[in-house]
Structure formats: C-alpha cells, structure tokens
Amino acid sequence: MDRLILPAVPNIRPSDEARIRRDYERFRHTGLPDRVEAYLLAEYGIDVSSNYGPAPIKNPFGKAAGQLSLNDSQVRTDAQTGLGFVVLKTVIAENGQGQRSMEAWAIKDTRMKVEPIVGKETGETGWNVTWNGRGWHGTFAEYLRFVSASLQIGREWGTVVVPSCKYHLPAGDDDFALEEYHYSTQSLAQVWQQAGEAGPLQLEKDFSPTLAGSDRAMQQEAILRWYREVPKLIRSALPPGEILLGIKLMNTVFDDDFQLQTIRTLIEEGEARPDYLIYANRLYDRTRLDSGGGGAAYGGPDLSRRNLCMLSRLRRLELQGKLSAPVPVISGTGDVRSGKMALEYALRGATSLQMHTLFQLPSSAYGMTRGSKTQRALHELYFHPENGLVTWMLHLRETGEIGYREGIAAFRDVTTWYQKQGRDFFLRGMIHERQC
C-alpha cells in the first residue's frame, strides 16, 4: 500500500474544479489577493488559520530556518507576501566572552544548488537543494539586531517570527557548555521583550548534528542523551514559563526503529519537555558527493516518505495508549512541495508546515508569471488545480473526512483527523510499519 492517505484523484464538484482553475489562471498574472485567507474563506468556505507551536498563525505555511531567512529584506518580503510564519537562520550559541563550542557550524556559504531528484523507493520526481553553509556566520550581536528588526517586521504584517539556535552538543560523556546555553537564551529573551513581543520567548532549537557532518552523528547514546537533557538545559536559563521551546528533529543516519526511539526519548524520558516539535529535516547519503567530496544531506520524495511513515507510527502508538507522555504540537517539514503534501502531514496531526526548497525553484517551475518566489510558491500551494490545498480541502469536505460547520471547512479540523475519523485507519494497520 502507498504511504499516502489521500487518493490519486480528488473527489470534488465540477463547478468547484472549474472555479479553482479560473483562480489559478487569473492569479498567475495578477498575483494573489492581498488577504488571501479572507478570500479563501469568502469564496470557498475554507478557514486556513492554525498555529505554529503555541502561536496562532493566519495560515499554516512558513519558511524554515536557512539561507532564505538571514536578512531583513528576506523577512520583509515573506511577511508582505503573506507567509504565516518565518523561522530565522540558526545562530550558534556562545558564552559571554564570545566563545562558541560549535564554532565549526558557523560557516558562511550561501551558494545553493537546486536540481530535480528522483525518489529511490517510489520513482517520484521532486526537488533537492544542497549547500555548504551551516549556521549564522556573523556575530551574535548582529544576530540579536536581526532578530529585533525581524520581530518588528513580522508584527507589522501579521507574520509570526521565531529565532533559531544551535547549542553545544558534547560527544560521549563530555560536559555541556552551560554558560553558552544560559547566555544565548537570556540574550534572545531580552531582545524578544525589548522588541515588544507579548508573552514568553518562542525559540526553535536545531538538532542538525544528529544528521551528519560530524562524528557526533554516529554516536547513538550521545544523541539520546542530548534529547533527554537539552530541553532542561535551555529552560534552566530562564524562570519557569518564560520560554516556549520548539525542538527541530532531524533524520538520523540510523534505521527507522532508532529514529522512532529518538522521538520517544525526547517526549517521554527527559526531565523537561519541548512545547512543540518540528519534524523532520533532511536525509543523509554518504555516497552523495558535495563540493567537499564527502556525503551530503538531501531531500525530495524519499524525505517525505520517511517522515510520513514515522509520524504514522508515532500516531499509532499514541492512539494505542503506548506513550507515557502526550505528543507535543508538531510542525511538519520535509518535501512539502504542494498543498496536497501539506495535508498529508496535517492528517497526521501537523498544525503547520515549514519549507525551504519550494521557495527557490527555477522560475519555470511555478505557474505564476510575476512576484517573488514566495508569492509564486503560495500560488501553487493554494490554487494548483491538481495538487493545491483548496482542491484537497474541498475533497476532504465532500468525502466527509472533515466537518463542515456553518459552511466552513477548517484546516484545524484536518489536524485532528487522525484522532477522530482517521482513528481506525491507524489502529487497523492500514499504514504498515514495514513500509517505513
């Protein structure tokens, strides 16, 4: 059986199909409506509001931390275009003397190679981006100024903006660099407050060393130790209740059973839990060469295949009552190349989707003939006649998979489908673990 829940062809009314095609063609040349969420609600009865972690967002689409969210201009374009949220480029934690244990991850290289990729398992064609850069390459002080400016931009346009940080992850039984945890977290919280943000600091913690690129990626016990201890170390920097912590999980280089173990370790075994998860960025292939001659991280159809399988296994355990702690809110990431794929993540409980590759494809890959690549990507995500969110939200409404209260089909209802209408789908084993 296929890993996907949605069928190959949508079941919608011919009149709706014709209307979507008209909108797709019209907006190709005019650009999206200024308030596309209001348009979707008025014209199609679709409510796309959701949340990124604990934060309410006007739509579920956001930009993942990376090379496309490292300056004010990029953030302003994304906010003006209408993204629901933006995660800023990941900064490398440091102590009060400017020392960084993870200094090797502060590499300046913004050159990215975008190319088609074919999935090994399914033969599907998608897109992949490779680059040599890692975290924020500037100073920590420069990053704090960038965060402050970005928060103001986001507030002006109704887009949630969240910083991202990579903290020290020791090898073996070495000690954590606690001063780096405390200084960096406290500095980010101070900027958050000074920028006028209400409530506690919202922060995304990057776990990319579990993927590859260093010897740390090959140490299973060290990885599990990180997941047990890091949330507590970050929270210890601030008084209780003053941080909303998201943990970005990566695909490890090990098998699926260990991958599931990492998720369970994070949510079941630590003294402190994250407020939400981001799941899961990139795969790693030792045979795939980058410009340095080593292996390389990659995305595409193999990434979404693994992510959807792992989320399905997690939800089955949850529904069977086999988890000792509740699953936090999940933000999905990895090969989110269409509105339909976004809904595949949402049907497994993801309340938001963050993308990177989709915002940097060749111009010929978008239907829209004008505007920024962010706007062109949103045009495809919402209105593509075969794979867009509107088409498949209407499919879910027509088939009765989601409710239709007072004439409205809500994205939020898709994210609870696995608990209600989809419960038997998971419990009866219709998604088989061996396929992962």
Side-chain angles (χ1 to χ4, degrees):
M1 149 172 193
D2 192 6
R3 76 191 190 282
L4 302 178
I5 296 173
L6 296 172
V9 179
N11 177 11
I12 63 173
R13 300 172 186 175
S15 59
D16 285 333
E17 180 181 1
R19 183 162 48 143
I20 294 168
R21 291 187 180 277
R22 285 197 299 270
D23 273 351
Y24 182 76
E25 290 300 317
R26 176 160 61 107
F27 297 144
R28 283 184 64 206
H29 307 294
T30 65
L32 295 175
D34 288 337
R35 297 180 63 240
V36 68
E37 299 85 10
Y39 180 85
L40 294 173
L41 190 60
E43 297 297 321
Y44 292 96
I46 295 175
D47 178 3
V48 294
S49 63
S50 191
N51 59 287
Y52 168 59
I57 48 178
K58 58 190 177 185
N59 66 67
F61 299 125
K63 180 168 285 185
Q67 307 297 83
L68 303 181
S69 56
L70 51 66
N71 60 57
D72 299 1
S73 177
Q74 291 171 328
V75 175
R76 182 174 291 104
T77 295
D78 292 336
Q80 292 174 342
T81 298
L83 281 186
F85 64 101
V86 174
V87 184
L88 303 181
K89 177 73 173 177
T90 303
V91 71
I92 310 303
E94 66 176 46
N95 61 25
Q97 292 73 49
Q99 298 168 330
R100 300 185 286 193
S101 300
M102 305 290 283
E103 179 73 29
W105 290 82
I107 295 177
K108 179 181 180 180
D109 191 341
T110 59
R111 294 170 296 175
M112 293 176 283
K113 182 180 181 181
V114 183
E115 58 188 348
I117 188 172
V118 177
K120 298 176 183 178
E121 300 291 335
T122 65
E124 294 176 80
T125 300
W127 291 95
N128 181 52
V129 176
T130 54
W131 69 96
N132 295 324
R134 290 180 174 180
W136 175 265
H137 65 271
T139 68
F140 191 69
E142 289 171 337
Y143 187 80
L144 294 178
R145 290 193 291 270
F146 170 51
V147 171
S148 179
S150 298
L151 290 172
Q152 294 178 31
I153 293 169
R155 191 162 55 249
E156 179 183 358
W157 293 93
T159 296
V160 171
V161 173
V162 174
S164 173
C165 188
K166 190 190 309 291
Y167 295 87
H168 176 233
L169 299 175
D173 295 327
D174 293 347
D175 294 334
F176 288 90
L178 293 181
E179 189 178 352
E180 294 180 12
Y181 279 79
H182 290 171
Y183 177 78
S184 297
T185 307
Q186 291 166 2
S187 297
L188 288 166
Q190 184 178 25
V191 168
W192 183 272
Q193 295 168 355
Q194 291 174 344
E197 293 297 309
L201 165 69
Q202 185 168 347
L203 177 66
E204 186 172 296
K205 156 58 183 151
D206 182 294
F207 260 112
S208 53
T210 62
L211 177 66
S214 74
D215 292 340
R216 291 177 173 87
M218 302 305 298
Q219 301 174 20
Q220 289 191 3
E221 287 305 316
I223 291 172
L224 296 178
R225 178 194 175 203
W226 299 341
Y227 287 155
R228 292 187 191 100
E229 299 189 31
V230 164
K232 178 182 177 181
L233 296 179
I234 298 173
R235 290 192 184 282
S236 70
L238 297 172
E242 292 195 8
I243 186 170
L244 296 170
L245 178 62
I247 296 293
K248 186 173 186 178
L249 288 155
M250 303 290 176
N251 279 290
T252 67
V253 296
F254 301 105
D255 63 18
D256 293 337
D257 287 340
F258 180 75
Q259 185 69 19
L260 186 61
Q261 185 182 359
T262 63
I263 307 173
R264 297 193 64 173
T265 297
L266 179 64
I267 65 178
E268 293 183 294
E269 297 183 15
E271 292 185 35
R273 287 165 41 84
D275 294 290
Y276 61 104
L277 306 179
I278 301 92
Y279 194 86
N281 189 32
R282 313 287 273 169
L283 296 169
Y284 194 81
D285 187 349
R286 294 184 185 88
T287 66
R288 182 183 292 270
L289 300 181
D290 63 14
S291 61
Y298 69 99
D302 289 337
L303 176 57
S304 58
R305 178 183 183 277
R306 191 187 201 202
N307 286 355
L308 295 178
C309 282
M310 298 311 300
L311 288 175
S312 295
R313 290 181 64 177
L314 181 67
R315 292 309 186 187
R316 181 186 297 173
L317 291 172
E318 178 185 6
L319 293 171
Q320 291 172 333
K322 293 183 177 179
L323 300 177
S324 61
V327 178
V329 177
I330 291 177
S331 180
T333 188
D335 188 43
V336 183
R337 61 186 184 273
S338 68
K340 183 180 182 182
M341 182 60 74
L343 288 177
E344 290 287 352
Y345 277 92
L347 288 164
R348 293 160 175 84
T351 63
S352 64
L353 297 310
Q354 46 182 277
M355 297 149 282
H356 190 268
T357 300
L358 187 63
F359 298 122
Q360 51 188 311
L361 303 183
S363 296
S364 59
Y366 306 105
M368 184 178 282
T369 59
R370 51 162 291 176
S372 68
K373 287 192 175 182
T374 300
Q375 186 173 69
R376 296 182 186 201
L378 287 174
H379 173 247
E380 297 292 315
L381 287 167
Y382 285 125
F383 292 106
H384 191 281
E386 285 81 36
N387 296 314
L389 186 79
V390 173
T391 292
W392 288 97
M393 283 289 291
L394 294 182
H395 165 86
L396 292 172
R397 187 181 71 185
E398 291 297 320
T399 56
E401 296 295 333
I402 59 172
Y404 189 46
R405 297 191 298 271
E406 298 181 355
I408 304 299
F411 181 86
R412 293 180 188 274
D413 289 339
V414 182
T415 68
T416 60
W417 176 86
Y418 79 94
Q419 299 171 328
K420 301 172 183 177
Q421 295 93 330
R423 185 179 182 88
D424 288 345
F425 187 92
F426 290 91
L427 291 179
R428 291 176 181 175
M430 295 178 72
I431 297 176
H432 300 289
E433 292 185 7
R434 65 177 179 271
Q435 293 179 305
C436 298

